[in-house]
């Protein structure tokens, strides 16, 4: 292990279940991000691009503070000195541009449409990992992945697949969500070696903070909306509460656990399959907190998604045991 590497990373590598648990908790945080972002937009004159600035500038700053509080992760200069160009590119495209498209898509498409498109991340990760690292996807991953995608589509549209099409405005949002999933997948696969060397906390803090800074400048130049963070106290109470949740929970904590966990799991493609559970978790939260009643289509979709994820996990476990025995 390289000097200064976060001790949590070595722990995750020795105990794979901890890494998968971190990914699961991270996905749980992702499951409510669209909902929380909508609360902000509905209670304050803040557009999708502006929400992305609030989220990642302050969320990245929160990660920098956490890194500075831990002696082993305080050195944020060495990663930049050694790999500055690469980390800036990851920050701009993997964070700033990807999440700009994500939050901007919510101004055009519905939450179910965006959730469906973004949930294609595991498919993109598998393809990119195949191209970049020559890691075969395998028939089991293809079958279970297609099954999970079908289940997600049924879940978020309540069985009405044609509802995904929408109008011209919806198609713009759907296209943005697909671009977000693609850029995010490239980031997740290619950032892994840097996390292995310097630790998840330092790399996530650097890329999210720089990405948030790029978002602030980009949204200001492109849209003429320079986010004034000092106006936070002037917002309506629901918007203020939602921003705090989006920054501290959906970003600072969630991104650290999700990105770090995926970098530590033995198989990143298998790890991202937990992302298919995102809409399932969202449905569960709606039932618990919003007293929502699930339809028969939604129940069947949840069973399909969970079965696909469970099948992939069991097949992976069986294959690992066979390799060990051999």
């Amino acid at each position: 292990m390289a000097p200064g590497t976060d001790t949590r990373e070595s722990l995750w590598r020795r105990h794979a279940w901890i890494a998968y648990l971190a990914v699961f908790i991270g996905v749980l945080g992702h499951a409510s991000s669209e909902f929380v972002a909508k609360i902000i937009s509905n209670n304050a004159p803040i557009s999708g691009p502006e929400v992305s600035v609030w989220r990642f500038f302050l969320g990245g700053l929160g990660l920098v503070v956490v890194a500075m509080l831990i002696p082993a992760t305080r050195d944020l200069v060495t990663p930049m000195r050694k790999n500055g160009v690469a980390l800036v590119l990851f920050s701009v495209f993997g964070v700033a541009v990807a999440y700009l498209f994500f939050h901007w898509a919510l101004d055009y498409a519905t939450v179910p449409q965006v959730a469906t498109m973004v949930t294609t991340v595991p498919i993109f990760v598998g393809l990119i990992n195949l191209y970049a690292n020559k890691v075969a996807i395998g028939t089991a991953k293809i079958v279970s992945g297609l099954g999970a995608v079908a289940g997600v589509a049924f879940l978020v549209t309540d069985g009405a697949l044609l509802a995904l099409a929408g109008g011209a405005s919806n198609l713009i949002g759907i296209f943005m969500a697909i671009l977000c999933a693609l850029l995010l997948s490239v980031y997740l696969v290619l950032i892994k070696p840097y996390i292995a060397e310097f630790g998840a906390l330092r790399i996530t803090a650097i890329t999210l903070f720089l990405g948030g800074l790029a978002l602030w400048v980009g949204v200001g130049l492109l849209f003429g909306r320079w986010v004034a963070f000092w106006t936070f106290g002037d917002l309506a109470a629901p918007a203020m509460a939602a921003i705090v949740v989006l920054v501290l929970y959906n970003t600072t904590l969630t991104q650290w656990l999700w990105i770090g966990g995926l970098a530590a799991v033995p198989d990143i493609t298998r790890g991202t399959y937990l992302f298919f559970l995102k809409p399932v978790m969202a449905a569960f939260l709606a039932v618990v907190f919003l007293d929502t009643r699930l339809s028969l289509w939604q129940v069947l979709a949840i069973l399909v998604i969970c079965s696909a994820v469970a099948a992939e996990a069991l097949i992976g476990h069986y294959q690992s045991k066979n390799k060990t025995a051999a």
Side-chain angles (χ1 to χ4, degrees):
M1 184 172 64
T5 300
D6 190 347
T7 56
R8 288 175 177 78
E9 301 309 313
S10 61
L11 179 64
W12 285 359
R13 283 193 291 270
R14 289 198 303 270
H15 304 285
W17 70 269
I18 299 178
Y20 284 111
L21 177 62
V23 174
F24 180 80
I25 297 173
V27 172
L28 183 61
H30 273 286
S32 59
S33 59
E34 293 101 335
F35 176 71
V36 177
K38 273 298 184 182
I39 292 177
I40 298 172
S41 298
N42 291 340
N43 289 276
I46 300 176
S47 65
E50 290 172 282
V51 171
S52 66
V53 177
W54 282 95
R55 179 181 181 182
F56 286 96
F57 185 88
L58 297 180
L61 183 61
L63 278 169
V64 170
V65 172
V66 173
M68 297 303 292
L69 292 175
I70 302 174
T73 59
R74 285 176 183 166
D75 182 10
L76 301 179
V77 176
T78 299
M80 286 299 297
R81 183 185 297 122
K82 187 173 181 180
N83 305 109
V85 174
L87 293 178
V88 168
L89 290 175
F90 283 128
S91 301
V92 171
F93 293 100
V95 177
V97 178
Y99 282 100
L100 172 63
F101 281 137
F102 174 78
H103 288 284
W104 198 4
L106 292 170
D107 287 348
Y108 292 92
T110 64
V111 169
Q113 289 170 330
V114 174
T116 301
M117 295 302 105
V118 173
T119 311
T120 59
V121 163
I123 303 299
F124 283 122
V125 166
L127 294 174
I128 295 167
N129 205 28
L130 172 63
Y131 175 78
N133 301 317
K134 304 299 183 291
V135 178
I137 300 177
T139 303
K141 286 189 176 70
I142 295 174
V143 173
S144 57
L146 291 176
V149 168
V152 168
F154 277 109
L155 174 60
V156 300
T157 61
D158 196 14
L161 289 178
L162 292 178
L164 279 177
S169 175
N170 297 87
L171 292 176
I172 293 174
I174 290 171
F175 180 68
M176 288 181 181
I178 292 174
L179 288 177
C180 168
L182 177 60
L183 290 171
L184 192 56
S185 300
V186 173
Y187 171 90
L188 292 172
V189 173
L190 300 186
I191 200 73
K192 188 170 182 174
Y194 301 93
I195 290 180
E197 182 175 359
F198 298 107
L201 180 54
R202 286 198 285 175
I203 296 300
T204 308
I206 290 171
T207 54
L208 259 66
F209 178 72
L210 292 180
L213 183 60
L215 276 168
W216 183 73
V217 174
V219 171
L221 293 176
L222 294 175
F223 300 93
R225 301 169 188 168
W226 295 93
V227 174
F229 300 105
W230 54 87
T231 62
F232 174 77
D234 299 330
L235 300 175
M240 291 174 62
I243 287 176
V244 171
V245 172
L246 190 66
V247 168
L248 296 182
Y249 174 60
N250 296 110
T251 308
T252 297
L253 178 62
T254 292
Q255 294 293 108
W256 177 21
L257 292 176
W258 188 50
I259 296 172
L262 284 176
V265 294
D267 186 338
I268 189 173
T269 305
R270 180 167 294 123
T272 54
Y273 268 56
L274 291 171
F275 201 65
F276 283 129
L277 296 176
K278 174 182 173 180
V280 176
M281 295 174 182
F284 174 77
L285 293 173
V287 170
V288 173
F289 295 105
L290 302 179
D291 198 27
T292 301
R293 306 185 76 177
L294 297 180
S295 67
L296 177 61
W297 275 109
Q298 290 171 325
V299 172
L300 291 175
I302 288 173
L303 291 176
V304 170
I305 296 169
C306 293
S307 297
V309 175
E312 169 55 26
L314 290 174
I315 291 172
H317 178 68
Y318 178 75
Q319 291 174 339
S320 297
K321 285 185 66 176
N322 283 348
K323 287 181 180 179
T324 302

